[in-house]
Amino acid sequence: MIRGFFRLVGLLLLAGGFIFMVYDGARWVADQTLRFTRFGQFWNDIHQSSQQAFRAWVEGHAPWLWNSVVKVILDQPVFAVMGVLGILLMLLFRPRKPLIGYSRN
């Protein structure tokens, strides 16, 4: 049950990444300038106070983690972050291969 839920979340993230890729592509066709929507900007547009609270939490526990990992992820395009996270969830929670000749007891 949990495996199915995480696969569904992964599929939704993958679909969201595809939607943002189409959105950025349509903006490129309209403006003739290639600008990607950054993940940090998207998160800020959705819920600004949660991003600030997350930054305070990360800097409180491991200050080096903010500049070296989280800030790099926040500067990536939304479609890349959502796509990679969705593929990761789909691969991690894929169904097990059936065993041939053995029982699973």
Side-chain angles (χ1 to χ4, degrees):
M1 174 101 175
I2 297 295
R3 181 178 292 154
F5 173 72
F6 281 115
R7 282 184 55 85
L8 175 68
V9 170
L11 188 63
L12 290 175
L13 284 172
L14 203 57
F18 181 73
I19 288 169
F20 269 97
M21 186 167 52
V22 169
Y23 173 73
D24 289 339
R27 195 167 55 179
W28 172 58
V29 169
D31 295 345
Q32 295 297 320
T33 57
L34 187 59
R35 290 179 298 145
F36 295 118
T37 307
R38 293 180 314 120
F39 185 67
Q41 175 188 357
F42 171 67
W43 189 3
N44 201 14
D45 291 344
I46 296 297
H47 199 259
Q48 185 175 10
S49 62
S50 69
Q51 185 180 8
Q52 292 169 352
F54 181 70
R55 180 178 183 166
W57 182 80
V58 168
E59 287 180 343
H61 285 81
W64 57 271
L65 192 64
W66 180 259
N67 288 329
S68 62
V69 177
V70 177
K71 199 168 185 184
V72 172
I73 292 172
L74 290 176
D75 287 338
Q76 300 307 311
V78 177
F79 74 88
V81 174
M82 290 177 93
V84 167
L85 192 59
I87 289 172
L88 237 158
L89 285 174
M90 295 283 289
L91 287 175
L92 285 175
F93 294 101
R94 66 180 173 222
R96 294 181 185 158
K97 291 183 180 177
L99 296 176
I100 299 173
Y102 297 98
S103 65
R104 237 182 240 259
N105 296 336

